[in-house]
Amino acid sequence: MPSALTDLCRYPIVQAPMAGGTSCPQLVAAVAEAGGLGFLAAGYKTADGMYNEIKQLRGLTGRAFGVNLFMPQPGLADPSAVEVYRQQLAGEAAWYETPLGDPDSDGDDGYEAKLAILLDDPVPAVSFTFGCPTRDTLDAFAGVGTYTVVTVTTPEEAQAAQWAGADAVCVQGVEAGGHQSTHHDDPQTDGTGIGLLSLVAQVRETVQIPIVAAGGLMRGSQIAAVLAAGAEAAQFGTAFLICPESGASPLHKRALTNPLFVRTALTRAFSGRPARGLVNRFMREHGPYAPAAYPQVHHLTVGLRRAAARAGDAQGMALWAGQGHRMARELPAGRLVRLLAEELDAARTAVSTGSTQ
C-alpha cells in the first residue's frame, strides 16, 4: 500500500471521481494503465454496486486506484421549501412524462456500509466529498494501509482535514465542474468560492500534508502551474468526461464543445447543492428558485434528468462541466494521460530554458 501520494501513480495526474456513471471501471483502468491515478465514484451507488465495480476494475488493471465516498449530509433542509420546489417542477414532470422522485430517499448514500466494505477489502486510496470523516475513520483506513484524501474548498477545511488525520487534501477551486465540495452548505456563501491558484497557495501555507489541485484544469501546462503553487498533483474531471471510456451520456459529451453552450454557472437547480454545469434551459428556469436542500432536490430531479437524456434533450440534463470545458479533447483516456504528461514536461523545459537565458 502507498506511503505517499507519489507512490500511487507515475505521473502527477489524477482522474476525478465523477458520480452518476461517468467514472466507470473502464475509464479508471485506462487512466491507471497509462500512469495516472483514477478514481471510481461510489456516490449514488449502493454498497454492493460499489463493490461490484471494484471487482470489475481489479479485473482490468493491477495498478493503484481510488474510490470516492460522499459524506452523509445533516438533515437541515426546509421541508416546505422542498415542497414548493416540487410544485414548481410539476410542469417538467408533465413534459417529460415521468414522476418526480421521493426527496427523502437514501439520505446517507449508504456511507457506513461502504466504509465496512472498504475496510474489510482495502483499496489503495479513498477520497471523501462533502465533508471530513472522523479521526477514528481515517485512523481505521490508515490501519489497513489505505491512503486518504479529503476534498476541501477553503484553507479552514484543509486544516480540519489535517487535524482529523487525512493523508492529503484535494483542493477544489471554484472553476471546478460538478458539485462544490464545501463541508457546510451555507447559501450565504454562494458565489464566493476561491480560484484554484489562489486557493492552492493559501492551503499550502496552512497545512503540511500533500495537495491535489482541482478546478478547470485541461492542459499539462496547468499542471506545471499548480505544482509551482504548491500542489503535488493535478486532478482532471471535465477533461476525462469526453473520453470514449467515460460513462457519461453521449449528449453530455457533445455538449462540452457545442457552441450552443457558451458558459458555465453554479446552480442548485438539479441537486440542491451548488454545482457547476453548462447553462441550459433547466438551469435558467429553475436555478433562481432551487432551495438549499441536498440530497432532497437530487432525488426529486433524478427521474427528470434521465427522461431528458432518453429524449435526447440536453436542455433538461445536468451537464456538469468545469470552466475549461471548451478545451476538451476527444481522446482515449490513456492517450490523454500521456499527452498531459508530455505537455507538463514541455512546460517545465520552457521554464527551465527561460530561467537560464
Side-chain angles (χ1 to χ4, degrees), residues 111 115 119 128 132-148 150 161-167:
Y111 178 72
L115 285 184
L119 290 170
F128 300 88
C132 182
T134 64
R135 173 169 287 278
D136 285 347
T137 296
L138 293 171
D139 285 348
F141 277 114
V144 298
T146 295
Y147 195 88
T148 53
V150 174
Q162 178 175 265
W163 285 343
D167 292 312

Side-chain angles (χ1 to χ4, degrees), residues 269-304:
F270 298 102
S271 73
R273 235 184 186 274
R276 183 174 297 281
L278 301 176
V279 176
N280 61 3
R281 177 196 61 79
F282 195 102
M283 188 188 297
R284 288 191 296 269
E285 292 183 1
H286 301 293
Y289 312 105
Y294 177 89
Q296 290 86 352
V297 171
H298 163 77
H299 294 311
L300 265 183
T301 67
V302 65
L304 296 177

